[in-house]
């Protein structure tokens, strides 16, 4: 019985090796997504046009949304993974437009990465992970500024 307890304890320790990474993955999966935001001094219709043009410069394809709805949904090109055959990656963008706190329009954006590990076995069942503090946000806001004619 004592040996069984030691084996059981050893199995638990082996099973939970790397728990920090598992914990981080679970927290990231259930944490609410964090939108990056910028206030621009234009009306909502112009902000919509600017955000849509910025996404187009990043090779994103407009899917749906409109200035009256205050949102844009777009999807980037699909990239096969050279290191893992059968794996595809794609970035999606979700833009929200709303009146700024004092004036102008607030542009909020969330980029998410979609990964489909083996699309031959389970088509359409990819994993969606919000990107936090990724350089793609800086690129998007750079193009927004460029569309508005703002100098960096």
């Amino acid at each position: 019985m004592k040996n069984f307890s030691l084996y059981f304890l050893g199995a638990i320790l082996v099973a939970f090796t790397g728990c920090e990474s598992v914990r981080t993955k679970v927290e990231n999966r259930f944490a609410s997504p964090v939108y990056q935001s910028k206030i621009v001094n234009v009306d909502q219709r112009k902000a919509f046009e600017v955000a849509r043009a910025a996404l187009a410069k990043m090779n994103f394809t407009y899917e749906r949304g409109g200035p009256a709805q205050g949102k844009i949904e777009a999807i980037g090109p699909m990239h096969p993974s050279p290191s893992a055959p059968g794996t595809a990656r794609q970035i999606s963008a979700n833009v929200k437009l709303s009146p700024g706190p004092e004036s102008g329009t607030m542009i909020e954006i969330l980029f998410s990465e979609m990964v489909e590990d083996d699309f031959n076995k389970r088509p359409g069942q990819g994993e969606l992970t919000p990107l936090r503090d990724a350089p793609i946000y800086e690129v998007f806001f750079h193009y927004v500024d460029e569309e508005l004619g703002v100098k960096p």
Side-chain angles (χ1 to χ4, degrees):
M1 186 68 172
K2 191 173 188 177
N3 284 340
F4 176 74
S5 297
L6 288 175
Y7 288 124
F8 182 70
L9 180 63
I12 289 175
L13 289 174
V14 169
F16 288 109
T17 301
C19 275
E20 190 62 38
S21 65
V22 171
R23 179 179 176 210
T24 303
K25 286 181 181 178
V26 170
E27 285 175 355
N28 286 342
R29 179 168 219 108
F30 293 107
S32 61
V34 179
Y35 282 76
Q36 303 289 326
S37 63
K38 179 180 185 84
I39 296 174
V40 292
N41 291 322
V42 295
D43 66 2
Q44 191 162 317
R45 178 169 294 284
K46 178 68 175 173
F48 172 84
E49 293 168 7
V50 165
R52 188 168 171 185
L55 288 168
K57 286 184 176 182
M58 297 170 68
N59 294 326
F60 277 75
T61 303
Y62 172 79
E63 293 287 315
R64 68 184 68 82
Q69 297 167 324
K71 71 177 188 175
I72 300 172
E73 291 179 20
I75 194 156
M78 187 173 293
H79 300 286
S81 175
S83 62
T87 299
R89 297 181 177 280
Q90 197 167 25
I91 304 285
S92 69
N94 188 340
V95 179
K96 296 190 291 187
L97 305 166
S98 58
E102 295 177 16
S103 65
T105 303
M106 180 180 292
I107 299 175
E108 297 177 281
I109 186 161
L110 177 68
F111 288 104
S112 298
E113 181 180 42
M114 296 180 286
V115 178
E116 195 166 304
D117 289 332
D118 191 351
F119 56 85
N120 291 323
K121 292 183 181 175
R122 300 175 295 130
Q125 296 183 3
E127 186 176 315
L128 186 67
T129 307
L131 298 176
R132 301 181 196 315
D133 300 326
I136 194 167
Y137 291 101
E138 293 175 28
V139 172
F140 172 75
F141 288 124
H142 170 77
Y143 284 132
V144 165
D145 287 342
E146 191 176 276
E147 285 294 314
L148 291 170
V150 176
K151 302 281 183 192

